Structure formats: C-alpha cells, structure tokens
Amino acid sequence: MKYLVLPLFTMLCLTIACSVGPKSIDYGHVGCHYCSMTIVDKQHAAQLVTKKGKVFNFDAIECMMNHLKDEDQATLALFLVNDFDQPGELVDATKTTYLISENIPSPMGAFLSAFSNKKAAQYVLDSNGGKLYSWAEIKERFKQ
C-alpha cells in the first residue's frame, strides 16, 4: 500500500500543475510579459495560456497582439482578454468584439478595448466614436 501512495500523489501533483485554464491576474504585482509594465488596468489586460498550461499576462490587449507576432500560435490553448464592461473578467478573445476609440485610452496607447457583448460594444461606440473589429480583423490589424 505504501508503494502505491507516492506514485499516485506524484501523478496528482503533475496533473494539477499542468492544467490548462485561465489564471487570475495579480493586478498591481505582476508585470506584462511583452513590455514589463506592472498590470494595473482591469479593463484592458490580457492573457495567453499554452497547451502545456504556461500563462503569459499582458497589461494591454495590444501587448498580447504584438507578442503573437513572435509566438507559434499552434502551441497556444487560450486567448483571453478583459471585458471592458466587467473589469477583471477574462473572456475568450476569439469571441470578443473589439473597439478602437481615441476617446477610451488603453495602457499602451492603441485605444483598444474588448467586449464580450456586441451590443455593449455598439453602445460604447455610439457614445465615444471609433470602429468595431472582430478577432480576425484585430489580428490582421496587428500583423503590420
């Protein structure tokens, strides 16, 4: 019985350590993987999670998009962004509506915000001006 406990415990620890999923961002304490700025803005932060469970945090969506230029996207499992309307809430970046509006500053100056609800994005667009983008369109915009 003793000989089974150690291998089972080891497997359990490895399984937990390699789980793939979003990790909460420690705002005010962790730095951006791309620009090294401390992440404080709960409306514009972003996160990438690899298929092996490694997490990359970003202080702005534009930092994540710029980082993607140098990343093998086949190794990534999750693309996450903070929902502008629900600060601190990470949502699936591939299903999000993006707004670029010069009336809504973002940490790195791209004026880029993400919304999980397209109607909310349209409302903010109507109030602030700018342009809406899909995930594919925002990826294309940041390829340049």
Side-chain angles (χ1 to χ4, degrees):
M1 180 74 168
K2 280 193 219 179
Y3 299 106
L4 290 174
V5 173
L6 185 57
L8 288 174
F9 181 73
T10 302
M11 279 188 57
L12 176 65
C13 289
L14 288 173
T15 302
I16 292 170
C18 296
S19 66
V20 176
K23 307 286 189 272
S24 60
I25 297 173
D26 188 10
Y27 297 96
H29 297 99
V30 67
C32 175
H33 181 74
Y34 184 75
C35 72
S36 301
M37 284 181 51
T38 302
I39 302 171
V40 294
D41 187 339
K42 293 183 177 184
Q43 288 182 303
H44 293 99
Q47 186 176 89
L48 292 174
V49 182
T50 69
K51 291 179 179 177
K52 292 183 177 182
K54 185 173 181 177
V55 174
F56 297 101
N57 293 308
F58 302 93
D59 71 323
I61 301 165
E62 52 265 34
C63 283
M64 178 180 79
M65 301 311 294
N66 286 319
H67 175 76
L68 285 175
K69 294 176 191 175
D70 302 324
E71 188 73 36
D72 178 6
Q73 293 184 36
T75 65
L76 300 173
L78 299 171
F79 302 85
L80 304 162
V81 292
N82 275 19
D83 186 337
F84 185 82
D85 275 350
Q86 300 175 53
E89 183 74 27
L90 288 167
V91 296
D92 185 344
T94 65
K95 298 177 182 174
T96 303
T97 301
Y98 296 88
L99 170 65
I100 295 180
S101 172
E102 292 189 13
N103 293 316
I104 304 174
S106 61
M108 296 306 293
F111 305 100
L112 178 59
S113 303
F115 297 81
S116 61
N117 182 307
K118 189 168 185 166
K119 287 181 184 179
Q122 185 64 51
Y123 177 79
V124 174
L125 170 71
D126 293 343
S127 303
N128 294 281
K131 184 175 178 188
L132 296 180
Y133 296 87
S134 68
W135 171 248
E137 292 168 332
I138 210 71
K139 279 179 64 177
E140 186 61 34
R141 183 177 173 95
F142 276 88
K143 276 187 178 178
Q144 305 160 353

